[in-house]
Amino acid sequence: EGWDPTAETVIDFVNTIYHSDILVVVLSTLALDGACFRKPIINTLFGSLFVGGKDISHVMAATTHYKWVFDTKGTSVARSPEELKNLINEYLLNPDKNIENRHVFAERLCYALDGKSSERMANAICDIFQMHENRLKKTSTAGMSIVA
């Protein structure tokens, strides 16, 4: 992979999602980002994977990791260019269509949307270090005897 985005790239990426009206994705984790911003999300199940000249894009939808996304019903699915066009038009006319399911999607798969994920990560790392330190103390004092 080797992709190491700059701060500017990340800012541009977040702004692109924030200012978009709709996200069209190909079974991507980008759908999670869109859900956090409560954007309409359309998954395309056509035109992205071909084997022997046959479009088998829909096969990717059967993967276990993406089943969780579909179970929330927080994204719409387009199986053809015509369906994609219709869904885009529907969302442009009614951006709140399916918003309840987008809330479920974000809450179920993104956990807390309070802006404190870095704080939780730092606390988890500190907890791991503390547990490790406590284990070291226990093992280093296990063979000692106290003489009074």
Side-chain angles (χ1 to χ4, degrees):
E1 305 260 29
W3 186 59
D4 189 15
T6 64
E8 182 180 349
T9 301
V10 172
I11 290 168
D12 286 346
F13 175 74
V14 171
N15 274 307
T16 299
I17 295 170
Y18 179 80
H19 293 286
S20 66
D21 292 316
I22 302 166
L23 264 72
V24 178
V25 300
V26 180
L27 302 171
S28 168
T29 56
L30 185 58
L32 295 167
D33 301 291
C36 291
F37 285 109
R38 307 296 195 246
K39 299 294 181 178
I41 304 155
I42 304 170
N43 272 293
T44 57
L45 298 186
F46 66 92
S48 62
L49 182 63
F50 292 86
V51 173
K54 184 178 178 189
D55 187 353
I56 62 164
S57 304
H58 63 281
V59 174
M60 295 188 310
T63 60
T64 304
H65 76 284
Y66 219 79
K67 180 184 181 311
W68 294 354
V69 173
F70 288 134
D71 286 350
T72 68
K73 300 189 181 351
T75 71
S76 294
V77 175
R79 291 178 175 79
S80 69
E82 186 65 27
E83 281 186 20
L84 177 59
K85 178 182 163 187
N86 291 338
L87 286 167
I88 289 171
N89 286 328
E90 285 176 30
Y91 278 125
L92 289 174
L93 292 172
N94 182 10
D96 288 337
K97 175 188 174 201
N98 200 27
I99 196 156
E100 297 85 13
N101 290 335
R102 291 197 302 270
H103 283 283
V104 169
F105 177 19
E107 294 298 323
R108 206 177 278 171
L109 298 181
C110 298
Y111 184 59
L113 302 174
D114 57 5
K116 295 183 179 184
S117 60
S118 295
E119 182 180 327
R120 282 189 290 279
M121 287 292 281
N123 287 337
I125 291 168
C126 287
D127 290 348
I128 291 167
F129 281 128
Q130 189 63 50
M131 287 185 329
H132 183 67
E133 185 177 303
N134 290 342
R135 283 189 198 138
L136 287 176
K137 285 180 184 176
K138 283 181 183 177
T139 57
S140 65
T141 59
M144 297 180 164
S145 57
I146 298 174
V147 179

